[in-house]
Amino acid sequence: MFPVARAAQRLVARGIQHTAVRQAHRKHEPTFHDKYGTMVLLGGATMFTAVWGYVFTGLKIEWGVSPVGRVTPSEWRE
């Protein structure tokens, strides 16, 4: 291996080691998602269900009703 390449490889390895050691000693601080992630998800799901429930009940949709026998053709006009 060339001396320049070997020196570059050592520098990269040393930098990675320093970064790993620095992160290992740092205390883990909870992020926004750690603190509130589940509550935000549940709140969004609740709002989604409430809004669509209101929309579907307000439209008065009759589910599963077949038009067979109810729809009759109109008389032909000439």
Side-chain angles (χ1 to χ4, degrees):
M1 194 181 266
F2 297 111
V4 174
R6 193 176 322 139
Q9 185 180 17
R10 286 183 187 152
L11 282 175
V12 169
R14 189 175 299 148
I16 292 171
Q17 288 173 348
H18 283 290
T19 303
V21 168
R22 196 175 23 213
Q23 288 179 352
H25 290 296
R26 194 174 76 186
K27 292 183 180 178
H28 176 68
E29 301 168 354
T31 62
F32 177 83
H33 298 289
D34 293 335
K35 288 182 182 179
Y36 309 110
T38 306
M39 292 306 296
V40 170
L41 181 66
L42 291 175
T46 303
M47 284 298 295
F48 178 85
T49 305
V51 168
W52 281 109
Y54 176 77
V55 168
F56 285 142
T57 56
L59 291 177
K60 298 183 182 180
I61 298 174
E62 295 181 14
W63 298 101
V65 177
S66 174
V68 175
R70 294 183 179 208
V71 178
T72 57
S74 59
E75 294 294 325
W76 183 260
R77 292 180 292 166
E78 292 189 28

